[in-house]
Amino acid sequence: MGQEMKVVMDTQGIERCIERIAYEIRETNEGTQDLVIIGIRAGGILLAKRLSTKLQDIDGTDIPSGVLDITLYRDDLLSGTGKPKLGRTDIPFSLDGKIVVLVDDVIFTGRTIRAAMDALIDFGRPNRIQLAVLIDRGHRELPISPDYVGKSLPSSLWEKVVVELSPLPGNDRIVIEN
Amino acid sequence: MNLEHKDLLGLEHVSREEISLILDTAESFKEISTRRIKKVPTLRGKTVINLFVEPSTRTRTSFEIAGKRLSADVINFSASASSFVKGETLRDTAQTLQSMAPDIIVIRHSAAGAPHILARLLDSSIINAGDGAHEHPTQALLDMLSIRERKGRLEGLKVAIVGDISHSRVARSNIFGMTTMGMNVAIGGPPMMIPRDLEKLGVTVHNRLADAIRDADVVMMLRIQFERQVSSLFPSIREYAHFYSLTRDTITLARDDVIIMHPGPINRGVEIAPDIADGPSSIILDQVTNGVAVRMALLYLLGGGTE
């Protein structure tokens, strides 16, 4: 029983998605005032950076970005044999009154986003929280839906969707594996 | 990622990987204490019992803050206010505690080995907060975290630990932990305060302060403990200070970028001069901050138990 792998998006496709999402964010929020981009560790970090850079290119303004580690807010921490490795949260600005765009590479059950929202609320009181994901692979277990989606990719539970973003240009891709 | 045992009883048998895991985890926890709401829900519903049979304010408060910041229910048992006064044995106390089903018990006791007894008797995770003169692993871990923060690494650094080593559980745990992490440990102190054959633990022993702290990257001064009859070991405090106190003059033997540490509380003018304790090389206050982070890391890594 071999492992099948299919590339569903390449570097160019990903770049176009990010660009479109950036324009959508700007349109929905009527500009970029009070906007901050928070990437969820680990899959959302590079994506958040790219999104924030793209918005800066389009708009000319500085968009603060940060990294959120949700390990301590997970609902599956104490049921299992190992503790996931804790990473740092780095949000060096206040969230009060801001429009927070949470960013992750894939949304699946929605539990990660639930944890992320609980973490953000402990940080302060944002005006709004919006969610941007590159891939929506379905199978939600909570009533959570993204505001911005790169691509909808219906998948089976035994498949794995992997987003590979590289800091080096030209090496990105999204694959679905069995 | 997990620690290998359900308890933290000392650093003697803790591996390099485990120490690194604890320090890395602690680093991530530091950030929580800078937030406006210094709380995460991670240990919600978990019970942590602070069993401080030997009194302590600093360590106990540190563990209490750590537990509360993780949303755990923290209960403090202290010696005077408990059944120990009525003569209850440790075993009976342990079994009483067991029926309350605590997830973690933090114990400080004047008898070495007391945490080990609890670890054997109970399912709870036991953290040793100091057992007699044996070990004080969380102190050594916070010391190593503080050093790593300032110096960027641990391996290869020269550390001098000076003072009454024979009565110091801080020294012992640091010796175990630091040698495991590849540091060069030099011990300094008067001969009657240094256990014989201490070199067997992989350290060098010096009876002159100058020899111990020469070229050191880190100098750790231990408290001269008045309550352990200084007079029988040393003619006077002043004489001890004359030979072993860290002052503006003696500190010049260490490296220019040396960092000064002390587990606290400080005896100003005895083992350390006030201007050194408060000076720019001193990281004594960082140690306290890191204490909460290290204890949060341990509660996180040990909490939850095995399911």
Side-chain angles (χ1 to χ4, degrees):
Chain A
M1 191 148 117
Q3 228 192 3
E4 290 169 31
M5 191 185 77
K6 193 173 113 175
V7 179
V8 297
M9 202 184 283
D10 62 6
T11 304
Q12 267 192 326
I14 293 174
E15 169 63 26
R16 283 189 211 116
C17 276
I18 294 179
E19 185 159 5
R20 173 178 49 81
I21 291 176
Y23 275 106
E24 282 181 8
I25 292 175
R26 192 163 157 267
E27 181 190 359
T28 304
N29 296 302
E30 290 172 16
T32 56
Q33 182 154 47
D34 292 330
L35 201 61
V36 308
I37 312 274
I38 306 281
I40 300 177
R41 186 182 289 277
I45 301 180
L46 272 180
L47 198 53
K49 253 198 196 88
R50 297 228 192 139
L51 214 43
S52 140
T53 306
K54 181 61 72 171
L55 276 164
Q56 269 160 207
D57 289 344
I58 300 172
D59 222 54
T61 51
D62 249 343
I63 315 275
S65 85
V67 175
L68 180 65
D69 184 278
I70 56 122
T71 311
L72 298 172
Y73 287 82
R74 292 171 61 145
D75 60 11
D76 60 349
L77 258 187
L78 304 174
S79 60
T81 45
K83 291 275 158 50
K85 182 118 193 244
L86 196 57
R88 291 208 76 154
T89 288
D90 187 20
I91 303 182
F93 42 80
S94 165
L95 295 181
D96 292 349
K98 297 275 190 270
I99 301 174
V100 172
V101 177
L102 256 183
V103 178
D104 206 357
D105 52 356
V106 180
I107 181 171
F108 186 22
T109 60
R111 291 180 188 269
T112 300
I113 306 301
R114 192 280 316 156
M117 284 200 285
D118 280 345
L120 285 181
I121 305 280
D122 275 353
F123 260 95
R125 194 177 190 281
N127 252 1
R128 304 176 73 175
I129 300 177
Q130 295 170 349
L131 175 62
V133 300
L134 206 46
I135 298 285
D136 179 347
R137 63 171 292 201
H139 299 290
R140 216 77 78 230
E141 290 172 6
L142 298 174
I144 291 181
S145 65
D147 300 281
Y148 314 100
V149 184
K151 185 183 173 88
S152 258
L153 192 63
S155 62
S156 316
L157 281 174
W158 59 81
E159 286 173 328
K160 209 168 147 208
V161 177
V162 184
V163 173
E164 296 170 7
L165 291 181
S166 157
L168 303 169
N171 282 336
D172 308 324
R173 60 179 193 164
I174 304 179
V175 301
I176 186 163
E177 318 178 334
N178 243 321
Chain B
M1 292 246 119
N2 247 350
L3 296 179
E4 282 169 39
H5 310 284
K6 75 165 172 74
D7 315 290
L8 180 72
L9 303 175
L11 290 188
E12 187 174 354
H13 304 293
V14 177
S15 71
R16 193 178 183 135
E17 290 73 34
E18 287 177 288
I19 292 180
S20 291
L21 173 62
I22 295 169
L23 298 184
D24 291 341
T25 306
E27 242 173 46
S28 301
F29 271 108
K30 279 194 80 160
E31 175 265 320
I32 294 175
S33 302
T34 62
R35 298 184 189 177
R36 198 169 65 190
I37 296 185
K38 302 173 189 15
K39 208 183 252 286
V40 290
T42 319
L43 290 187
R44 203 171 66 100
K46 297 288 169 177
T47 304
V48 176
I49 293 188
N50 281 337
L51 184 60
F52 278 66
V53 185
E54 196 187 87
S56 153
T57 313
R58 307 148 65 89
T59 307
R60 206 203 60 207
T61 309
S62 186
F63 269 107
E64 192 173 341
I65 292 179
K68 286 182 167 158
R69 288 195 177 156
L70 290 168
S71 299
D73 294 327
V74 180
I75 312 215
N76 292 315
F77 274 70
S78 69
S80 54
S82 79
S83 51
F84 288 103
V85 174
K86 299 181 197 157
E88 190 180 35
T89 64
L90 186 60
R91 176 184 274 260
D92 284 334
T93 303
Q95 290 174 336
T96 308
L97 290 177
Q98 171 86 328
S99 39
M100 295 185 224
D103 299 280
I104 302 177
I105 298 178
V106 178
I107 175 171
R108 172 172 281 197
H109 201 288
S110 50
H116 302 65
I117 293 179
L118 289 191
R120 251 200 345 256
L121 290 174
L122 306 177
D123 298 325
S124 320
S125 288
I126 309 296
I127 298 182
N128 181 4
D131 62 332
H134 178 227
E135 286 224 46
H136 190 356
T138 59
Q139 178 70 39
L141 286 165
L142 74 88
D143 288 337
M144 285 188 280
L145 181 66
S146 309
I147 296 171
R148 198 176 81 164
E149 228 172 33
R150 281 292 179 120
K151 296 288 185 181
R153 66 189 164 112
L154 289 176
E155 173 120 34
L157 292 179
K158 179 179 171 188
V159 184
I161 303 180
V162 179
D164 182 358
I165 309 294
S166 55
H167 288 113
S168 173
R169 53 192 171 211
V170 172
R172 239 174 282 276
S173 287
N174 268 308
I175 290 173
F176 289 132
M178 288 175 179
T179 49
T180 301
M181 298 308 283
M183 303 172 82
N184 300 321
V185 182
I187 301 295
M192 60 289 204
M193 289 182 174
I194 299 183
R196 225 178 336 185
D197 296 333
L198 196 63
E199 293 93 339
K200 294 219 172 90
L201 294 182
V203 307
T204 54
V205 174
H206 311 273
N207 295 127
R208 292 177 64 228
L209 178 68
D211 297 331
I213 68 176
R214 186 166 292 119
D215 298 327
D217 297 286
V218 182
V219 174
M220 183 182 298
M221 306 305 292
L222 299 176
R223 195 165 69 88
I224 277 301
Q225 313 194 44
F226 287 114
E227 67 265 25
R228 301 200 204 257
Q229 323 107 336
V230 172
S231 56
S232 68
L233 292 174
F234 231 90
S236 73
I237 295 290
R238 194 146 51 156
E239 180 153 344
Y240 177 87
H242 175 75
F243 285 104
Y244 294 99
S245 185
L246 191 67
T247 62
R248 213 178 317 166
D249 299 322
T250 48
I251 200 181
T252 54
L253 290 161
R255 289 175 52 110
D256 287 335
D257 56 355
V258 68
I259 55 177
I260 309 300
M261 304 177 68
H262 192 300
I266 312 170
N267 289 326
R268 285 163 186 277
V270 180
E271 67 264 3
I272 188 169
D275 56 337
I276 301 299
D278 302 325
S281 315
S282 160
I283 64 167
I284 295 174
L285 293 177
D286 293 347
Q287 287 173 267
V288 179
T289 308
N290 287 335
V292 177
V294 160
R295 288 160 181 141
M296 285 179 85
L298 285 166
L299 292 175
Y300 166 70
L301 289 166
L302 293 172
T306 43
E307 315 249 334

Short mmCIF file of all heavy atoms in Angstrom, two decimals, chain B residues 235-287:
data_model
loop_
_atom_site.label_atom_id
_atom_site.label_comp_id
_atom_site.label_asym_id
_atom_site.label_seq_id
_atom_site.Cartn_x
_atom_site.Cartn_y
_atom_site.Cartn_z
N PRO B 235 35.46 30.78 62.81
CA PRO B 235 35.55 31.63 64.01
C PRO B 235 34.56 32.79 64.00
O PRO B 235 33.97 33.10 65.03
CB PRO B 235 36.99 32.16 63.96
CG PRO B 235 37.73 31.21 63.10
CD PRO B 235 36.76 30.63 62.13
N SER B 236 34.38 33.43 62.86
CA SER B 236 33.44 34.55 62.84
C SER B 236 33.01 34.81 61.41
O SER B 236 33.68 34.45 60.45
CB SER B 236 34.08 35.81 63.42
OG SER B 236 35.03 36.31 62.49
N ILE B 237 31.87 35.51 61.28
CA ILE B 237 31.38 35.90 59.96
C ILE B 237 32.41 36.77 59.26
O ILE B 237 32.68 36.65 58.08
CB ILE B 237 30.06 36.70 60.11
CG1 ILE B 237 28.97 35.83 60.69
CG2 ILE B 237 29.63 37.25 58.77
CD1 ILE B 237 28.48 34.77 59.75
N ARG B 238 33.03 37.65 60.05
CA ARG B 238 33.97 38.59 59.46
C ARG B 238 35.16 37.87 58.85
O ARG B 238 35.64 38.23 57.80
CB ARG B 238 34.44 39.59 60.51
CG ARG B 238 35.15 40.75 59.85
CD ARG B 238 34.95 42.03 60.51
NE ARG B 238 35.24 41.93 61.93
CZ ARG B 238 35.58 42.97 62.66
NH1 ARG B 238 35.70 44.13 62.09
NH2 ARG B 238 35.78 42.84 63.92
N GLU B 239 35.60 36.80 59.53
CA GLU B 239 36.73 36.06 59.00
C GLU B 239 36.34 35.35 57.70
O GLU B 239 37.10 35.33 56.74
CB GLU B 239 37.22 35.02 60.03
CG GLU B 239 38.41 34.24 59.50
CD GLU B 239 39.30 33.74 60.61
OE1 GLU B 239 39.17 34.25 61.74
OE2 GLU B 239 40.11 32.84 60.34
N TYR B 240 35.14 34.80 57.68
CA TYR B 240 34.69 34.17 56.44
C TYR B 240 34.66 35.18 55.31
O TYR B 240 35.18 34.94 54.22
CB TYR B 240 33.28 33.56 56.61
CG TYR B 240 32.77 32.96 55.32
CD1 TYR B 240 33.08 31.65 54.98
CD2 TYR B 240 32.03 33.73 54.42
CE1 TYR B 240 32.66 31.11 53.79
CE2 TYR B 240 31.61 33.19 53.22
CZ TYR B 240 31.93 31.88 52.90
OH TYR B 240 31.52 31.35 51.71
N ALA B 241 34.08 36.33 55.60
CA ALA B 241 33.95 37.37 54.57
C ALA B 241 35.32 37.82 54.09
O ALA B 241 35.53 38.09 52.90
CB ALA B 241 33.16 38.56 55.12
N HIS B 242 36.28 37.88 54.99
CA HIS B 242 37.62 38.31 54.62
C HIS B 242 38.21 37.41 53.55
O HIS B 242 38.86 37.86 52.62
CB HIS B 242 38.52 38.31 55.87
CG HIS B 242 39.95 38.63 55.57
ND1 HIS B 242 40.38 39.90 55.28
CD2 HIS B 242 41.04 37.83 55.50
CE1 HIS B 242 41.69 39.87 55.05
NE2 HIS B 242 42.12 38.63 55.18
N PHE B 243 37.97 36.11 53.69
CA PHE B 243 38.58 35.17 52.75
C PHE B 243 37.72 34.85 51.53
O PHE B 243 38.24 34.55 50.47
CB PHE B 243 38.89 33.85 53.47
CG PHE B 243 40.07 33.93 54.36
CD1 PHE B 243 39.92 34.02 55.75
CD2 PHE B 243 41.35 33.93 53.83
CE1 PHE B 243 41.02 34.10 56.57
CE2 PHE B 243 42.47 34.02 54.66
CZ PHE B 243 42.30 34.11 56.03
N TYR B 244 36.39 34.89 51.72
CA TYR B 244 35.55 34.33 50.66
C TYR B 244 34.48 35.26 50.11
O TYR B 244 33.65 34.85 49.32
CB TYR B 244 34.88 33.04 51.14
CG TYR B 244 35.87 31.95 51.40
CD1 TYR B 244 36.30 31.67 52.69
CD2 TYR B 244 36.41 31.22 50.34
CE1 TYR B 244 37.26 30.68 52.90
CE2 TYR B 244 37.35 30.23 50.56
CZ TYR B 244 37.77 29.97 51.85
OH TYR B 244 38.70 29.00 52.07
N SER B 245 34.51 36.50 50.52
CA SER B 245 33.45 37.40 50.04
C SER B 245 33.75 37.89 48.63
O SER B 245 34.91 38.13 48.27
CB SER B 245 33.34 38.59 51.00
OG SER B 245 32.27 39.40 50.62
N LEU B 246 32.73 38.04 47.84
CA LEU B 246 32.89 38.56 46.48
C LEU B 246 32.75 40.08 46.54
O LEU B 246 31.68 40.61 46.84
CB LEU B 246 31.82 37.99 45.56
CG LEU B 246 32.05 38.26 44.07
CD1 LEU B 246 33.28 37.52 43.57
CD2 LEU B 246 30.83 37.85 43.25
N THR B 247 33.87 40.76 46.31
CA THR B 247 33.86 42.22 46.40
C THR B 247 34.37 42.80 45.09
O THR B 247 34.77 42.08 44.18
CB THR B 247 34.81 42.70 47.51
OG1 THR B 247 36.14 42.26 47.15
CG2 THR B 247 34.43 42.11 48.86
N ARG B 248 34.38 44.11 45.06
CA ARG B 248 34.88 44.82 43.88
C ARG B 248 36.31 44.40 43.54
O ARG B 248 36.69 44.33 42.38
CB ARG B 248 34.84 46.32 44.16
CG ARG B 248 34.55 47.15 42.94
CD ARG B 248 34.47 48.61 43.30
NE ARG B 248 33.74 48.84 44.52
CZ ARG B 248 33.76 49.99 45.19
NH1 ARG B 248 34.46 50.98 44.74
NH2 ARG B 248 33.06 50.12 46.30
N ASP B 249 37.08 44.10 44.55
CA ASP B 249 38.48 43.70 44.31
C ASP B 249 38.57 42.27 43.81
O ASP B 249 39.22 41.99 42.81
CB ASP B 249 39.31 43.84 45.59
CG ASP B 249 39.34 45.27 46.07
OD1 ASP B 249 39.41 46.17 45.21
OD2 ASP B 249 39.26 45.49 47.29
N THR B 250 37.91 41.35 44.51
CA THR B 250 38.07 39.95 44.15
C THR B 250 37.42 39.62 42.81
O THR B 250 37.87 38.73 42.09
CB THR B 250 37.50 39.02 45.24
OG1 THR B 250 36.20 39.46 45.61
CG2 THR B 250 38.39 39.05 46.47
N ILE B 251 36.38 40.36 42.45
CA ILE B 251 35.67 40.02 41.22
C ILE B 251 36.53 40.26 39.98
O ILE B 251 36.28 39.68 38.92
CB ILE B 251 34.35 40.82 41.13
CG1 ILE B 251 33.39 40.15 40.16
CG2 ILE B 251 34.61 42.25 40.71
CD1 ILE B 251 32.08 40.88 40.00
N THR B 252 37.58 41.05 40.11
CA THR B 252 38.42 41.35 38.94
C THR B 252 39.14 40.12 38.41
O THR B 252 39.61 40.10 37.28
CB THR B 252 39.48 42.42 39.27
OG1 THR B 252 40.20 41.98 40.42
CG2 THR B 252 38.83 43.76 39.53
N LEU B 253 39.22 39.07 39.24
CA LEU B 253 39.89 37.85 38.78
C LEU B 253 39.05 37.08 37.76
O LEU B 253 39.58 36.30 36.98
CB LEU B 253 40.18 36.95 39.98
CG LEU B 253 41.25 37.50 40.91
CD1 LEU B 253 41.14 36.80 42.26
CD2 LEU B 253 42.62 37.27 40.31
N ALA B 254 37.75 37.30 37.80
CA ALA B 254 36.89 36.61 36.85
C ALA B 254 36.96 37.35 35.51
O ALA B 254 37.61 38.39 35.40
CB ALA B 254 35.46 36.59 37.36
N ARG B 255 36.29 36.82 34.50
CA ARG B 255 36.29 37.48 33.20
C ARG B 255 35.57 38.82 33.29
O ARG B 255 34.74 39.05 34.16
CB ARG B 255 35.60 36.60 32.17
CG ARG B 255 36.40 35.37 31.79
CD ARG B 255 35.56 34.51 30.85
NE ARG B 255 35.08 35.31 29.76
CZ ARG B 255 35.50 35.19 28.49
NH1 ARG B 255 36.43 34.30 28.20
NH2 ARG B 255 34.99 35.93 27.54
N ASP B 256 35.88 39.70 32.33
CA ASP B 256 35.25 41.03 32.34
C ASP B 256 33.75 40.95 32.20
O ASP B 256 33.01 41.77 32.74
CB ASP B 256 35.80 41.89 31.19
CG ASP B 256 37.22 42.33 31.48
OD1 ASP B 256 37.57 42.39 32.67
OD2 ASP B 256 37.96 42.60 30.52
N ASP B 257 33.28 39.95 31.42
CA ASP B 257 31.83 39.86 31.19
C ASP B 257 31.19 38.83 32.12
O ASP B 257 30.17 38.24 31.80
CB ASP B 257 31.55 39.50 29.73
CG ASP B 257 32.24 38.22 29.30
OD1 ASP B 257 33.00 37.65 30.11
OD2 ASP B 257 32.01 37.77 28.16
N VAL B 258 31.78 38.64 33.30
CA VAL B 258 31.25 37.65 34.25
C VAL B 258 29.85 38.03 34.71
O VAL B 258 29.50 39.21 34.79
CB VAL B 258 32.19 37.55 35.47
CG1 VAL B 258 32.15 38.83 36.30
CG2 VAL B 258 31.85 36.36 36.35
N ILE B 259 29.02 37.03 34.96
CA ILE B 259 27.72 37.30 35.56
C ILE B 259 27.69 36.72 36.98
O ILE B 259 28.28 35.68 37.25
CB ILE B 259 26.55 36.73 34.72
CG1 ILE B 259 26.72 35.25 34.46
CG2 ILE B 259 26.39 37.48 33.44
CD1 ILE B 259 25.56 34.64 33.69
N ILE B 260 27.06 37.45 37.86
CA ILE B 260 27.04 37.10 39.28
C ILE B 260 25.67 36.58 39.65
O ILE B 260 24.65 37.18 39.33
CB ILE B 260 27.32 38.35 40.14
CG1 ILE B 260 28.56 39.07 39.65
CG2 ILE B 260 27.44 37.96 41.62
CD1 ILE B 260 29.79 38.24 39.69
N MET B 261 25.67 35.45 40.37
CA MET B 261 24.39 34.84 40.75
C MET B 261 24.37 34.51 42.24
O MET B 261 25.43 34.36 42.86
CB MET B 261 24.18 33.55 39.95
CG MET B 261 24.24 33.78 38.45
SD MET B 261 24.08 32.26 37.53
CE MET B 261 22.40 31.82 37.86
N HIS B 262 23.15 34.36 42.75
CA HIS B 262 22.98 34.02 44.16
C HIS B 262 21.56 33.48 44.30
O HIS B 262 20.63 34.09 43.80
CB HIS B 262 23.16 35.28 45.02
CG HIS B 262 23.29 35.01 46.49
ND1 HIS B 262 22.31 34.39 47.24
CD2 HIS B 262 24.30 35.28 47.36
CE1 HIS B 262 22.71 34.28 48.51
NE2 HIS B 262 23.91 34.82 48.61
N PRO B 263 21.39 32.33 44.98
CA PRO B 263 20.04 31.78 45.08
C PRO B 263 19.13 32.58 46.00
O PRO B 263 17.91 32.42 45.97
CB PRO B 263 20.26 30.37 45.63
CG PRO B 263 21.59 30.41 46.29
CD PRO B 263 22.40 31.44 45.58
N GLY B 264 19.71 33.44 46.84
CA GLY B 264 18.91 34.23 47.75
C GLY B 264 18.49 33.45 48.97
O GLY B 264 18.45 32.24 48.92
N PRO B 265 18.13 34.11 50.06
CA PRO B 265 18.34 35.53 50.31
C PRO B 265 19.81 35.88 50.57
O PRO B 265 20.55 35.09 51.13
CB PRO B 265 17.50 35.79 51.57
CG PRO B 265 17.31 34.46 52.22
CD PRO B 265 17.49 33.41 51.18
N ILE B 266 20.16 37.10 50.14
CA ILE B 266 21.55 37.53 50.22
C ILE B 266 21.90 37.99 51.64
O ILE B 266 21.09 38.64 52.29
CB ILE B 266 21.78 38.74 49.29
CG1 ILE B 266 21.18 38.47 47.91
CG2 ILE B 266 23.24 39.04 49.16
CD1 ILE B 266 21.18 39.71 47.06
N ASN B 267 23.10 37.66 52.08
CA ASN B 267 23.64 38.29 53.30
C ASN B 267 24.58 39.37 52.82
O ASN B 267 25.75 39.12 52.51
CB ASN B 267 24.46 37.29 54.13
CG ASN B 267 23.59 36.25 54.79
OD1 ASN B 267 22.46 36.53 55.19
ND2 ASN B 267 24.11 35.05 54.92
N ARG B 268 24.10 40.58 52.68
CA ARG B 268 24.95 41.65 52.16
C ARG B 268 26.14 41.85 53.07
O ARG B 268 26.01 41.91 54.28
CB ARG B 268 24.15 42.96 52.08
CG ARG B 268 23.20 42.97 50.94
CD ARG B 268 22.14 44.05 51.09
NE ARG B 268 21.17 43.91 50.03
CZ ARG B 268 21.34 44.42 48.81
NH1 ARG B 268 22.42 45.11 48.53
NH2 ARG B 268 20.43 44.23 47.87
N GLY B 269 27.32 41.91 52.45
CA GLY B 269 28.53 42.16 53.24
C GLY B 269 29.14 40.89 53.78
O GLY B 269 30.25 40.92 54.31
N VAL B 270 28.45 39.77 53.66
CA VAL B 270 29.04 38.52 54.13
C VAL B 270 29.62 37.77 52.94
O VAL B 270 30.81 37.82 52.68
CB VAL B 270 28.03 37.65 54.89
CG1 VAL B 270 28.68 36.36 55.36
CG2 VAL B 270 27.47 38.41 56.08
N GLU B 271 28.77 37.07 52.19
CA GLU B 271 29.34 36.36 51.05
C GLU B 271 29.43 37.24 49.80
O GLU B 271 30.11 36.91 48.84
CB GLU B 271 28.52 35.10 50.71
CG GLU B 271 27.12 35.37 50.19
CD GLU B 271 26.08 35.30 51.29
OE1 GLU B 271 26.46 35.09 52.46
OE2 GLU B 271 24.89 35.46 50.97
N ILE B 272 28.73 38.36 49.83
CA ILE B 272 28.75 39.22 48.65
C ILE B 272 28.62 40.68 49.07
O ILE B 272 27.82 41.02 49.95
CB ILE B 272 27.64 38.80 47.66
CG1 ILE B 272 27.76 39.55 46.34
CG2 ILE B 272 26.26 39.02 48.24
CD1 ILE B 272 26.86 38.99 45.25
N ALA B 273 29.44 41.55 48.46
CA ALA B 273 29.38 42.96 48.80
C ALA B 273 28.13 43.57 48.17
O ALA B 273 27.75 43.19 47.07
CB ALA B 273 30.63 43.68 48.29
N PRO B 274 27.51 44.55 48.85
CA PRO B 274 26.26 45.12 48.33
C PRO B 274 26.39 45.70 46.93
O PRO B 274 25.50 45.53 46.10
CB PRO B 274 25.90 46.22 49.33
CG PRO B 274 26.68 45.90 50.56
CD PRO B 274 27.87 45.10 50.16
N ASP B 275 27.54 46.34 46.65
CA ASP B 275 27.64 46.97 45.33
C ASP B 275 27.76 45.94 44.23
O ASP B 275 27.38 46.18 43.09
CB ASP B 275 28.80 47.99 45.28
CG ASP B 275 30.13 47.36 45.65
OD1 ASP B 275 30.12 46.32 46.34
OD2 ASP B 275 31.17 47.91 45.27
N ILE B 276 28.25 44.74 44.55
CA ILE B 276 28.31 43.67 43.56
C ILE B 276 26.92 43.06 43.37
O ILE B 276 26.49 42.77 42.26
CB ILE B 276 29.32 42.58 43.98
CG1 ILE B 276 30.71 43.18 44.14
CG2 ILE B 276 29.34 41.45 42.96
CD1 ILE B 276 31.25 43.78 42.86
N ALA B 277 26.23 42.87 44.49
CA ALA B 277 24.90 42.28 44.42
C ALA B 277 23.95 43.15 43.60
O ALA B 277 23.07 42.63 42.90
CB ALA B 277 24.33 42.07 45.82
N ASP B 278 24.12 44.46 43.69
CA ASP B 278 23.22 45.36 42.97
C ASP B 278 23.81 45.86 41.67
O ASP B 278 23.19 46.64 40.96
CB ASP B 278 22.89 46.58 43.86
CG ASP B 278 22.25 46.16 45.17
OD1 ASP B 278 21.50 45.17 45.15
OD2 ASP B 278 22.51 46.80 46.21
N GLY B 279 25.03 45.45 41.35
CA GLY B 279 25.72 45.99 40.19
C GLY B 279 25.24 45.42 38.87
O GLY B 279 24.38 44.54 38.83
N PRO B 280 25.81 45.92 37.77
CA PRO B 280 25.37 45.52 36.44
C PRO B 280 25.67 44.07 36.08
O PRO B 280 25.00 43.51 35.22
CB PRO B 280 26.15 46.47 35.50
CG PRO B 280 27.30 46.95 36.30
CD PRO B 280 26.88 46.95 37.72
N SER B 281 26.64 43.44 36.74
CA SER B 281 26.95 42.05 36.40
C SER B 281 26.00 41.08 37.09
O SER B 281 26.00 39.89 36.79
CB SER B 281 28.37 41.67 36.84
OG SER B 281 29.26 42.67 36.49
N SER B 282 25.25 41.59 38.04
CA SER B 282 24.41 40.70 38.84
C SER B 282 23.12 40.36 38.10
O SER B 282 22.46 41.24 37.57
CB SER B 282 24.07 41.39 40.16
OG SER B 282 22.94 40.81 40.74
N ILE B 283 22.79 39.06 38.06
CA ILE B 283 21.52 38.67 37.43
C ILE B 283 20.59 38.05 38.46
O ILE B 283 19.72 37.24 38.15
CB ILE B 283 21.73 37.70 36.23
CG1 ILE B 283 22.33 36.38 36.71
CG2 ILE B 283 22.63 38.32 35.18
CD1 ILE B 283 22.25 35.31 35.62
N ILE B 284 20.80 38.45 39.71
CA ILE B 284 20.05 37.85 40.82
C ILE B 284 18.54 38.03 40.64
O ILE B 284 17.76 37.11 40.90
CB ILE B 284 20.52 38.44 42.16
CG1 ILE B 284 21.99 38.03 42.39
CG2 ILE B 284 19.66 37.95 43.31
CD1 ILE B 284 22.63 38.66 43.61
N LEU B 285 18.11 39.18 40.16
CA LEU B 285 16.67 39.39 39.99
C LEU B 285 16.13 38.60 38.81
O LEU B 285 14.99 38.13 38.82
CB LEU B 285 16.36 40.88 39.84
CG LEU B 285 16.63 41.68 41.12
CD1 LEU B 285 16.37 43.16 40.89
CD2 LEU B 285 15.77 41.18 42.28
N ASP B 286 16.96 38.42 37.76
CA ASP B 286 16.54 37.59 36.62
C ASP B 286 16.26 36.18 37.09
O ASP B 286 15.38 35.49 36.59
CB ASP B 286 17.64 37.52 35.55
CG ASP B 286 17.87 38.86 34.89
OD1 ASP B 286 17.03 39.75 35.07
OD2 ASP B 286 18.87 39.00 34.19
N GLN B 287 17.08 35.73 38.06
CA GLN B 287 16.91 34.38 38.55
C GLN B 287 15.50 34.19 39.12
O GLN B 287 14.86 33.18 38.90
CB GLN B 287 17.95 34.06 39.64
CG GLN B 287 19.36 33.85 39.11
CD GLN B 287 20.37 33.71 40.24
OE1 GLN B 287 20.98 34.68 40.66
NE2 GLN B 287 20.57 32.50 40.70
#
